[in-house]
mmCIF file of all heavy atoms in Angstrom:
data_model
loop_
_atom_site.group_PDB
_atom_site.id
_atom_site.type_symbol
_atom_site.label_atom_id
_atom_site.label_comp_id
_atom_site.label_asym_id
_atom_site.label_seq_id
_atom_site.Cartn_x
_atom_site.Cartn_y
_atom_site.Cartn_z
ATOM 1 N N THR A 26 23.494 -26.354 -2.130
ATOM 2 C CA THR A 26 23.949 -27.156 -1.009
ATOM 3 C C THR A 26 24.343 -28.531 -1.543
ATOM 4 O O THR A 26 23.504 -29.253 -2.092
ATOM 5 C CB THR A 26 22.852 -27.309 0.058
ATOM 6 O OG1 THR A 26 22.510 -26.016 0.579
ATOM 7 C CG2 THR A 26 23.333 -28.190 1.205
ATOM 8 N N VAL A 27 25.614 -28.844 -1.429
ATOM 9 C CA VAL A 27 26.129 -30.126 -1.904
ATOM 10 C C VAL A 27 26.214 -31.057 -0.703
ATOM 11 O O VAL A 27 26.938 -30.793 0.260
ATOM 12 C CB VAL A 27 27.513 -29.965 -2.562
ATOM 13 C CG1 VAL A 27 28.051 -31.310 -3.035
ATOM 14 C CG2 VAL A 27 27.433 -28.973 -3.730
ATOM 15 N N ARG A 28 25.462 -32.154 -0.749
ATOM 16 C CA ARG A 28 25.389 -33.089 0.370
ATOM 17 C C ARG A 28 26.374 -34.234 0.160
ATOM 18 O O ARG A 28 26.538 -34.731 -0.948
ATOM 19 C CB ARG A 28 23.969 -33.607 0.507
ATOM 20 C CG ARG A 28 23.752 -34.542 1.696
ATOM 21 C CD ARG A 28 22.271 -34.722 1.999
ATOM 22 N NE ARG A 28 21.559 -35.327 0.892
ATOM 23 C CZ ARG A 28 21.419 -36.642 0.729
ATOM 24 N NH1 ARG A 28 21.978 -37.486 1.591
ATOM 25 N NH2 ARG A 28 20.732 -37.123 -0.292
ATOM 26 N N VAL A 29 27.010 -34.640 1.238
ATOM 27 C CA VAL A 29 28.003 -35.712 1.197
ATOM 28 C C VAL A 29 27.366 -37.024 1.639
ATOM 29 O O VAL A 29 26.686 -37.085 2.668
ATOM 30 C CB VAL A 29 29.206 -35.391 2.104
ATOM 31 C CG1 VAL A 29 30.223 -36.540 2.089
ATOM 32 C CG2 VAL A 29 29.867 -34.081 1.683
ATOM 33 N N MET A 30 27.576 -38.072 0.862
ATOM 34 C CA MET A 30 27.154 -39.415 1.225
ATOM 35 C C MET A 30 28.392 -40.299 1.269
ATOM 36 O O MET A 30 29.112 -40.416 0.270
ATOM 37 C CB MET A 30 26.142 -39.953 0.206
ATOM 38 C CG MET A 30 25.609 -41.338 0.504
ATOM 39 S SD MET A 30 24.301 -41.771 -0.706
ATOM 40 C CE MET A 30 23.938 -43.465 -0.221
ATOM 41 N N HIS A 31 28.673 -40.893 2.418
ATOM 42 C CA HIS A 31 29.834 -41.758 2.559
ATOM 43 C C HIS A 31 29.523 -43.084 1.878
ATOM 44 O O HIS A 31 28.575 -43.788 2.253
ATOM 45 C CB HIS A 31 30.148 -41.977 4.043
ATOM 46 C CG HIS A 31 31.405 -42.747 4.291
ATOM 47 N ND1 HIS A 31 31.615 -43.492 5.441
ATOM 48 C CD2 HIS A 31 32.532 -42.899 3.537
ATOM 49 C CE1 HIS A 31 32.804 -44.051 5.393
ATOM 50 N NE2 HIS A 31 33.386 -43.720 4.260
ATOM 51 N N THR A 32 30.290 -43.414 0.837
ATOM 52 C CA THR A 32 30.044 -44.623 0.044
ATOM 53 C C THR A 32 31.324 -45.455 -0.049
ATOM 54 O O THR A 32 31.919 -45.607 -1.119
ATOM 55 C CB THR A 32 29.535 -44.257 -1.363
ATOM 56 O OG1 THR A 32 30.379 -43.234 -1.935
ATOM 57 C CG2 THR A 32 28.110 -43.732 -1.309
ATOM 58 N N PRO A 33 31.791 -46.009 1.070
ATOM 59 C CA PRO A 33 33.061 -46.762 1.070
ATOM 60 C C PRO A 33 32.952 -48.066 0.298
ATOM 61 O O PRO A 33 31.866 -48.590 0.049
ATOM 62 C CB PRO A 33 33.291 -47.022 2.561
ATOM 63 C CG PRO A 33 31.915 -47.048 3.155
ATOM 64 C CD PRO A 33 31.130 -46.010 2.382
ATOM 65 N N GLY A 34 34.107 -48.588 -0.050
ATOM 66 C CA GLY A 34 34.189 -49.850 -0.771
ATOM 67 C C GLY A 34 35.340 -49.845 -1.757
ATOM 68 O O GLY A 34 36.167 -50.753 -1.765
ATOM 69 N N HIS A 35 35.397 -48.814 -2.600
ATOM 70 C CA HIS A 35 36.568 -48.660 -3.470
ATOM 71 C C HIS A 35 37.745 -48.195 -2.627
ATOM 72 O O HIS A 35 38.879 -48.647 -2.803
ATOM 73 C CB HIS A 35 36.263 -47.662 -4.581
ATOM 74 C CG HIS A 35 37.420 -47.402 -5.494
ATOM 75 N ND1 HIS A 35 37.964 -48.372 -6.301
ATOM 76 C CD2 HIS A 35 38.168 -46.280 -5.714
ATOM 77 C CE1 HIS A 35 38.981 -47.868 -6.991
ATOM 78 N NE2 HIS A 35 39.134 -46.606 -6.642
ATOM 79 N N THR A 36 37.481 -47.250 -1.729
ATOM 80 C CA THR A 36 38.395 -46.866 -0.660
ATOM 81 C C THR A 36 37.558 -46.727 0.603
ATOM 82 O O THR A 36 36.326 -46.674 0.546
ATOM 83 C CB THR A 36 39.111 -45.522 -0.941
ATOM 84 O OG1 THR A 36 38.146 -44.457 -0.906
ATOM 85 C CG2 THR A 36 39.822 -45.526 -2.283
ATOM 86 N N GLU A 37 38.227 -46.638 1.734
ATOM 87 C CA GLU A 37 37.486 -46.499 2.990
ATOM 88 C C GLU A 37 36.829 -45.131 3.115
ATOM 89 O O GLU A 37 35.799 -44.985 3.765
ATOM 90 C CB GLU A 37 38.417 -46.758 4.171
ATOM 91 C CG GLU A 37 38.862 -48.205 4.285
ATOM 92 C CD GLU A 37 39.727 -48.472 5.504
ATOM 93 O OE1 GLU A 37 40.795 -47.838 5.599
ATOM 94 O OE2 GLU A 37 39.332 -49.310 6.337
ATOM 95 N N GLY A 38 37.430 -44.125 2.483
ATOM 96 C CA GLY A 38 36.892 -42.777 2.595
ATOM 97 C C GLY A 38 36.142 -42.298 1.370
ATOM 98 O O GLY A 38 35.875 -41.102 1.235
ATOM 99 N N SER A 39 35.794 -43.199 0.464
ATOM 100 C CA SER A 39 35.067 -42.807 -0.750
ATOM 101 C C SER A 39 33.748 -42.132 -0.395
ATOM 102 O O SER A 39 32.983 -42.620 0.439
ATOM 103 C CB SER A 39 34.802 -44.047 -1.605
ATOM 104 O OG SER A 39 33.905 -43.762 -2.653
ATOM 105 N N VAL A 40 33.478 -40.998 -1.046
ATOM 106 C CA VAL A 40 32.210 -40.295 -0.845
ATOM 107 C C VAL A 40 31.582 -39.964 -2.189
ATOM 108 O O VAL A 40 32.263 -39.910 -3.220
ATOM 109 C CB VAL A 40 32.375 -38.994 -0.033
ATOM 110 C CG1 VAL A 40 32.943 -39.267 1.352
ATOM 111 C CG2 VAL A 40 33.222 -37.968 -0.778
ATOM 112 N N THR A 41 30.276 -39.743 -2.163
ATOM 113 C CA THR A 41 29.530 -39.239 -3.307
ATOM 114 C C THR A 41 29.015 -37.854 -2.950
ATOM 115 O O THR A 41 28.529 -37.635 -1.835
ATOM 116 C CB THR A 41 28.353 -40.175 -3.637
ATOM 117 O OG1 THR A 41 28.871 -41.423 -4.113
ATOM 118 C CG2 THR A 41 27.457 -39.580 -4.710
ATOM 119 N N TYR A 42 29.128 -36.912 -3.885
ATOM 120 C CA TYR A 42 28.613 -35.565 -3.683
ATOM 121 C C TYR A 42 27.283 -35.431 -4.425
ATOM 122 O O TYR A 42 27.219 -35.650 -5.639
ATOM 123 C CB TYR A 42 29.620 -34.519 -4.175
ATOM 124 C CG TYR A 42 30.883 -34.471 -3.339
ATOM 125 C CD1 TYR A 42 32.067 -35.064 -3.788
ATOM 126 C CD2 TYR A 42 30.887 -33.858 -2.098
ATOM 127 C CE1 TYR A 42 33.222 -35.035 -3.010
ATOM 128 C CE2 TYR A 42 32.032 -33.823 -1.308
ATOM 129 C CZ TYR A 42 33.193 -34.410 -1.774
ATOM 130 O OH TYR A 42 34.332 -34.379 -0.992
ATOM 131 N N LEU A 43 26.237 -35.086 -3.697
ATOM 132 C CA LEU A 43 24.884 -35.003 -4.239
ATOM 133 C C LEU A 43 24.461 -33.547 -4.372
ATOM 134 O O LEU A 43 24.578 -32.768 -3.412
ATOM 135 C CB LEU A 43 23.901 -35.743 -3.325
ATOM 136 C CG LEU A 43 24.191 -37.237 -3.128
ATOM 137 C CD1 LEU A 43 23.390 -37.785 -1.959
ATOM 138 C CD2 LEU A 43 23.892 -38.010 -4.398
ATOM 139 N N VAL A 44 23.960 -33.195 -5.549
ATOM 140 C CA VAL A 44 23.512 -31.821 -5.822
ATOM 141 C C VAL A 44 22.006 -31.847 -6.057
ATOM 142 O O VAL A 44 21.528 -32.517 -6.981
ATOM 143 C CB VAL A 44 24.217 -31.230 -7.062
ATOM 144 C CG1 VAL A 44 23.832 -29.768 -7.238
ATOM 145 C CG2 VAL A 44 25.733 -31.390 -6.954
ATOM 146 N N ASP A 45 21.275 -31.132 -5.219
ATOM 147 C CA ASP A 45 19.808 -31.040 -5.324
ATOM 148 C C ASP A 45 19.135 -32.422 -5.288
ATOM 149 O O ASP A 45 17.995 -32.568 -5.714
ATOM 150 C CB ASP A 45 19.390 -30.331 -6.624
ATOM 151 C CG ASP A 45 19.824 -28.877 -6.668
ATOM 152 O OD1 ASP A 45 20.277 -28.362 -5.622
ATOM 153 O OD2 ASP A 45 19.724 -28.268 -7.741
ATOM 154 N N ASP A 46 19.859 -33.419 -4.830
ATOM 155 C CA ASP A 46 19.346 -34.795 -4.838
ATOM 156 C C ASP A 46 18.866 -35.227 -6.224
ATOM 157 O O ASP A 46 18.003 -36.102 -6.364
ATOM 158 C CB ASP A 46 18.223 -34.975 -3.807
ATOM 159 C CG ASP A 46 18.765 -35.035 -2.383
ATOM 160 O OD1 ASP A 46 19.909 -35.503 -2.207
ATOM 161 O OD2 ASP A 46 18.057 -34.611 -1.458
ATOM 162 N N THR A 47 19.447 -34.600 -7.255
ATOM 163 C CA THR A 47 19.143 -34.995 -8.639
ATOM 164 C C THR A 47 20.391 -35.433 -9.390
ATOM 165 O O THR A 47 20.292 -36.064 -10.442
ATOM 166 C CB THR A 47 18.486 -33.842 -9.422
ATOM 167 O OG1 THR A 47 19.404 -32.735 -9.494
ATOM 168 C CG2 THR A 47 17.192 -33.391 -8.750
ATOM 169 N N VAL A 48 21.564 -35.093 -8.857
ATOM 170 C CA VAL A 48 22.844 -35.410 -9.491
ATOM 171 C C VAL A 48 23.776 -36.014 -8.449
ATOM 172 O O VAL A 48 23.862 -35.511 -7.321
ATOM 173 C CB VAL A 48 23.488 -34.145 -10.099
ATOM 174 C CG1 VAL A 48 24.914 -34.411 -10.514
ATOM 175 C CG2 VAL A 48 22.673 -33.646 -11.279
ATOM 176 N N ALA A 49 24.471 -37.085 -8.825
ATOM 177 C CA ALA A 49 25.410 -37.745 -7.922
ATOM 178 C C ALA A 49 26.782 -37.817 -8.567
ATOM 179 O O ALA A 49 26.945 -38.451 -9.610
ATOM 180 C CB ALA A 49 24.920 -39.154 -7.571
ATOM 181 N N LEU A 50 27.767 -37.146 -7.960
ATOM 182 C CA LEU A 50 29.164 -37.277 -8.382
ATOM 183 C C LEU A 50 29.724 -38.458 -7.597
ATOM 184 O O LEU A 50 30.099 -38.339 -6.435
ATOM 185 C CB LEU A 50 29.949 -36.002 -8.082
ATOM 186 C CG LEU A 50 29.400 -34.690 -8.654
ATOM 187 C CD1 LEU A 50 30.342 -33.535 -8.313
ATOM 188 C CD2 LEU A 50 29.191 -34.787 -10.144
ATOM 189 N N THR A 51 29.768 -39.627 -8.244
ATOM 190 C CA THR A 51 30.018 -40.877 -7.540
ATOM 191 C C THR A 51 31.485 -41.264 -7.421
ATOM 192 O O THR A 51 31.802 -42.277 -6.794
ATOM 193 C CB THR A 51 29.255 -42.027 -8.224
ATOM 194 O OG1 THR A 51 29.634 -42.080 -9.608
ATOM 195 C CG2 THR A 51 27.757 -41.837 -8.111
ATOM 196 N N GLY A 52 32.384 -40.496 -8.026
ATOM 197 C CA GLY A 52 33.789 -40.874 -7.958
ATOM 198 C C GLY A 52 34.002 -42.248 -8.560
ATOM 199 O O GLY A 52 33.535 -42.548 -9.662
ATOM 200 N N ASP A 53 34.684 -43.128 -7.813
ATOM 201 C CA ASP A 53 34.915 -44.497 -8.276
ATOM 202 C C ASP A 53 34.003 -45.489 -7.558
ATOM 203 O O ASP A 53 34.329 -46.669 -7.436
ATOM 204 C CB ASP A 53 36.374 -44.900 -8.059
ATOM 205 C CG ASP A 53 37.312 -44.216 -9.043
ATOM 206 O OD1 ASP A 53 36.875 -43.266 -9.706
ATOM 207 O OD2 ASP A 53 38.488 -44.620 -9.119
ATOM 208 N N PHE A 54 32.860 -45.020 -7.096
ATOM 209 C CA PHE A 54 31.888 -45.888 -6.435
ATOM 210 C C PHE A 54 31.030 -46.603 -7.473
ATOM 211 O O PHE A 54 31.102 -47.821 -7.641
ATOM 212 C CB PHE A 54 31.048 -45.048 -5.473
ATOM 213 C CG PHE A 54 29.799 -45.714 -4.951
ATOM 214 C CD1 PHE A 54 29.796 -47.059 -4.600
ATOM 215 C CD2 PHE A 54 28.635 -44.979 -4.786
ATOM 216 C CE1 PHE A 54 28.637 -47.666 -4.107
ATOM 217 C CE2 PHE A 54 27.482 -45.563 -4.293
ATOM 218 C CZ PHE A 54 27.476 -46.913 -3.957
ATOM 219 N N ILE A 55 30.241 -45.860 -8.224
ATOM 220 C CA ILE A 55 29.408 -46.432 -9.283
ATOM 221 C C ILE A 55 29.789 -45.793 -10.606
ATOM 222 O O ILE A 55 29.808 -44.569 -10.733
ATOM 223 C CB ILE A 55 27.910 -46.215 -9.000
ATOM 224 C CG1 ILE A 55 27.472 -47.075 -7.795
ATOM 225 C CG2 ILE A 55 27.071 -46.570 -10.221
ATOM 226 C CD1 ILE A 55 26.021 -46.871 -7.397
ATOM 227 N N PHE A 56 30.110 -46.633 -11.570
ATOM 228 C CA PHE A 56 30.377 -46.197 -12.934
ATOM 229 C C PHE A 56 29.153 -46.468 -13.801
ATOM 230 O O PHE A 56 28.172 -47.059 -13.347
ATOM 231 C CB PHE A 56 31.596 -46.934 -13.504
ATOM 232 C CG PHE A 56 32.868 -46.733 -12.727
ATOM 233 C CD1 PHE A 56 33.546 -47.816 -12.174
ATOM 234 C CD2 PHE A 56 33.389 -45.465 -12.542
ATOM 235 C CE1 PHE A 56 34.726 -47.643 -11.473
ATOM 236 C CE2 PHE A 56 34.571 -45.278 -11.832
ATOM 237 C CZ PHE A 56 35.235 -46.366 -11.300
ATOM 238 N N ILE A 57 29.231 -46.065 -15.058
ATOM 239 C CA ILE A 57 28.122 -46.319 -15.973
ATOM 240 C C ILE A 57 27.912 -47.816 -16.163
ATOM 241 O O ILE A 57 26.780 -48.313 -16.136
ATOM 242 C CB ILE A 57 28.363 -45.642 -17.338
ATOM 243 C CG1 ILE A 57 28.548 -44.128 -17.181
ATOM 244 C CG2 ILE A 57 27.211 -45.951 -18.306
ATOM 245 C CD1 ILE A 57 27.373 -43.396 -16.566
ATOM 246 N N ALA A 58 28.983 -48.566 -16.321
ATOM 247 C CA ALA A 58 28.868 -49.982 -16.656
ATOM 248 C C ALA A 58 29.423 -50.925 -15.608
ATOM 249 O O ALA A 58 29.382 -52.140 -15.793
ATOM 250 C CB ALA A 58 29.557 -50.251 -17.993
ATOM 251 N N SER A 59 29.954 -50.403 -14.496
ATOM 252 C CA SER A 59 30.517 -51.281 -13.478
ATOM 253 C C SER A 59 30.554 -50.548 -12.147
ATOM 254 O O SER A 59 29.841 -49.565 -11.947
ATOM 255 C CB SER A 59 31.913 -51.760 -13.893
ATOM 256 O OG SER A 59 32.388 -52.762 -13.009
ATOM 257 N N ILE A 60 31.399 -51.018 -11.252
ATOM 258 C CA ILE A 60 31.602 -50.386 -9.952
ATOM 259 C C ILE A 60 33.097 -50.322 -9.673
ATOM 260 O O ILE A 60 33.902 -50.979 -10.326
ATOM 261 C CB ILE A 60 30.900 -51.169 -8.818
ATOM 262 C CG1 ILE A 60 31.330 -52.645 -8.841
ATOM 263 C CG2 ILE A 60 29.395 -51.026 -8.902
ATOM 264 C CD1 ILE A 60 30.776 -53.461 -7.693
ATOM 265 N N GLY A 61 33.478 -49.517 -8.680
ATOM 266 C CA GLY A 61 34.879 -49.388 -8.322
ATOM 267 C C GLY A 61 35.405 -50.652 -7.670
ATOM 268 O O GLY A 61 34.733 -51.256 -6.825
ATOM 269 N N ARG A 62 36.601 -51.041 -8.030
ATOM 270 C CA ARG A 62 37.168 -52.290 -7.510
ATOM 271 C C ARG A 62 37.594 -52.126 -6.054
ATOM 272 O O ARG A 62 38.198 -51.103 -5.678
ATOM 273 C CB ARG A 62 38.329 -52.755 -8.381
ATOM 274 C CG ARG A 62 39.423 -51.740 -8.586
ATOM 275 C CD ARG A 62 40.384 -52.157 -9.684
ATOM 276 N NE ARG A 62 41.068 -53.418 -9.365
ATOM 277 C CZ ARG A 62 41.958 -53.984 -10.163
ATOM 278 N NH1 ARG A 62 42.270 -53.421 -11.327
ATOM 279 N NH2 ARG A 62 42.540 -55.117 -9.824
ATOM 280 N N PRO A 63 37.303 -53.114 -5.204
ATOM 281 C CA PRO A 63 37.673 -53.048 -3.792
ATOM 282 C C PRO A 63 38.972 -53.786 -3.464
ATOM 283 O O PRO A 63 39.252 -54.033 -2.292
ATOM 284 C CB PRO A 63 36.483 -53.746 -3.114
ATOM 285 C CG PRO A 63 36.097 -54.800 -4.094
ATOM 286 C CD PRO A 63 36.379 -54.228 -5.472
ATOM 287 N N ASP A 64 39.746 -54.115 -4.485
ATOM 288 C CA ASP A 64 40.912 -54.987 -4.297
ATOM 289 C C ASP A 64 42.240 -54.270 -4.502
ATOM 290 O O ASP A 64 43.251 -54.915 -4.767
ATOM 291 C CB ASP A 64 40.830 -56.183 -5.242
ATOM 292 C CG ASP A 64 40.851 -55.771 -6.715
ATOM 293 O OD1 ASP A 64 40.427 -54.643 -7.018
ATOM 294 O OD2 ASP A 64 41.291 -56.575 -7.553
#
């Protein structure tokens, strides 16, 4: 079961996909060393 978390900021519709609540596919929301630009 892949759970969706709405994480806007980089885009209005940015989401993170969570697997088993142990893995987060964050897209351009959170990177290893920075965050997605909102500009």
